[in-house]
Amino acid sequence: MYKIAVIPGDGTGPEQIREGIKVLTAVAELEGFKFEALTYDFGGDRYLRTGEILPDSALEEFRGFNAIYLGAIGHPQVKPGILEKGILLRLRFELDQYVNLRPVKLYPGVETPLKDKGPEEIDFVVVRENTEGLYCGAGGVLKRGSRDEVAVQSSINTYKGVERCVRYAFDYCRERNKRRKVTLCGKTNVLTYAFDLWERVFHDVGKEYPDVERDYAHVDATCMWMVKNPEWFDVIVTDNMFGDIITDLGAMIQGGMGIAAGGNINPEGVSMFEPIGGSAPKYTGQNVINPLAAICAGSMLLEQLGEKRAASMVDKAVEQVCAKHLKSLAAGRMGYSTGEVGDLVVRYLR
Ligand code: IPM
Ligand code: MN
């Protein structure tokens, strides 16, 4: 019996997660495993009502779960940063989810803005470091609001943090067994302290994987190649900030936020899975949001639990739904409601 903590969150998060749970329930029944889902109402509404963001007690409770399933965080009446830092980033940091795993995979039948590129060419994974870099909050401000203002925001990169992330990327690449190539995405020509560390660790660790090719690309060039030659990539490993940026680009070339999923992974602890898009508040309650990103996050969750066959059943069902049914992945243009898309995925599980 798996224990899953569910945080539906803000805006359209709950609608997406509802379909995700629908699919998890169906696949569990088919595969003969059980899970118990406990829902937590953290997010903008609770914060506005009670002032509470994420109590320490909940964080402790989360440590007792097999996984966390998150909808989306972000509320139009809450100042940007409060919920993101207080919930999403806090969970990533305190649960030490040191890898943010983001597959960039174009399913057959899905439209990509890249001319002449298809599912053969767009199939790679970004391993984004998820607990360090510019996201640490290191820095400060002096004389704020005056013409003498000084703002410093530092990127923290530790040997240990870089090493475990890079090692995860090589292990993942081996297991994935596709092009067998890991590309380090950095900026060694300018960020000569941080990416000197990354580059040395990348090669030291990489030497232990002689069967995996090592490649390097600056982050700006990575953006260029992702558009021009996405087939060059298999696994990309990079720091927190660059990973954040290139995975939005990745989401667009795989068909948009309607399908882009990610996992915040602590291989030794509790991992959290989420659609990588935002809460899309303007569509709230309309039953038009695409739940496939949440459903794909559910597939990643199953993979992490070790339910590999169930994970692949969900993935294949999503592929069928994309290929045979959806007119578009965009909210309101799918040709189906949110609930109907969930039902379709369930139908193809069988
Ligand atoms: C993401 C998001 C978050 C991030 C925000 C909401 C803090 O953009 O998951 O990519 O920057 O990591
Ligand atoms: Mn982002």
Side-chain angles (χ1 to χ4, degrees):
M1 172 77 108
Y2 299 112
K3 278 182 70 187
I4 301 174
V6 181
I7 311 173
D10 300 317
T12 54
E15 292 160 63
Q16 302 185 46
I17 286 295
R18 181 191 70 213
E19 299 310 310
I21 296 283
K22 183 192 276 180
V23 171
L24 289 181
T25 306
V27 79
E29 201 178 298
L30 288 171
E31 282 294 280
F33 64 86
K34 286 195 161 47
F35 71 92
E36 178 187 55
L38 208 66
T39 301
Y40 291 82
D41 67 350
F42 302 123
D45 287 329
R46 174 153 172 176
Y47 171 66
L48 292 171
R49 218 172 50 238
T50 69
E52 194 162 50
I53 301 177
L54 178 68
D56 296 343
S57 59
L59 204 78
E60 282 319 304
E61 276 176 49
F62 287 152
R63 295 184 200 278
F65 284 85
N66 296 100
I68 303 170
Y69 196 23
L70 174 72
I73 297 292
H75 194 291
Q77 277 138 263
V78 181
K79 196 171 148 235
I82 294 179
L83 301 169
E84 293 87 338
K85 280 190 171 177
I87 301 176
L88 185 62
L89 298 182
R90 182 149 181 244
L91 284 167
R92 289 178 182 170
F93 278 69
E94 300 227 13
L95 297 175
D96 205 21
Q97 294 163 340
Y98 61 84
V99 162
N100 195 326
L101 187 66
R102 297 189 163 182
V104 178
K105 180 173 164 180
L106 181 70
Y107 287 97
V110 172
E111 204 179 322
T112 173
L114 301 190
K115 192 164 146 278
D116 301 330
K117 301 291 177 189
E120 280 290 304
E121 285 83 25
I122 302 173
D123 183 6
F124 61 92
V125 176
V126 177
V127 173
R128 162 185 175 190
E129 202 292 321
N130 209 31
T131 54
E132 302 194 337
L134 279 168
Y135 278 67
C136 284
V141 60
L142 283 175
K143 303 184 184 173
R144 189 168 174 278
S146 78
R147 300 291 290 263
D148 293 323
E149 180 163 347
V150 180
V152 177
Q153 194 106 39
S154 303
S155 172
I156 294 189
N157 299 261
T158 69
Y159 184 93
K160 183 182 150 195
V162 173
E163 205 254 359
R164 63 187 185 173
C165 174
V166 165
R167 189 171 293 285
Y168 185 94
F170 278 98
D171 283 334
Y172 192 87
C173 182
R174 221 180 224 175
E175 181 151 340
R176 181 176 146 84
N177 198 18
K178 293 220 163 128
R179 297 183 182 99
R180 281 192 172 251
K181 175 161 113 178
V182 181
T183 304
L184 171 65
C185 162
K187 191 74 185 173
T188 53
N189 52 348
V190 176
L191 306 179
T192 49
Y193 308 126
F195 281 99
D196 173 56
L197 171 61
W198 273 86
E199 197 173 34
R200 275 181 287 118
V201 173
F202 179 70
H203 290 295
D204 284 350
V205 172
K207 281 186 196 117
E208 296 175 36
Y209 300 78
D211 50 319
V212 177
E213 186 190 337
R214 270 172 271 152
D215 196 7
Y216 174 81
H218 293 319
V219 62
D220 45 356
T222 302
C223 292
M224 186 169 76
W225 301 133
M226 274 172 69
V227 171
K228 192 167 185 290
N229 298 98
E231 67 276 10
W232 285 0
F233 297 115
D234 179 17
V235 173
I236 298 177
V237 65
T238 191
D239 83 349
N240 210 342
M241 188 77 258
F242 292 166
D244 177 48
I245 297 166
I246 68 170
T247 54
D248 264 29
L249 177 56
M252 288 304 120
I253 69 172
Q254 74 182 117
M257 287 302 180
I259 193 138
N264 301 274
I265 296 181
N266 176 345
E268 297 88 36
V270 186
S271 301
M272 173 168 73
F273 299 85
E274 53 172 343
I276 82 170
S279 57
K282 70 174 180 187
Y283 297 116
T284 306
Q286 293 180 27
N287 210 21
V288 295
I289 199 80
N290 186 344
L292 288 181
I295 292 170
C296 289
S299 164
M300 296 179 77
L301 184 153
L302 291 168
E303 179 92 31
Q304 187 69 20
L305 292 179
E307 296 292 340
K308 301 211 186 261
R309 209 168 55 186
S312 120
M313 281 165 74
V314 173
D315 198 58
K316 296 236 160 64
V318 169
E319 196 173 311
Q320 294 292 313
V321 172
C322 287
K324 299 195 174 127
H325 293 275
L326 301 194
K327 283 202 281 226
S328 153
L329 296 189
R333 293 208 294 269
M334 300 185 290
Y336 295 88
S337 70
T338 305
E340 284 167 343
V341 174
D343 292 341
L344 280 171
V345 174
V346 168
R347 201 214 292 170
Y348 283 101
L349 287 174
R350 293 163 214 279

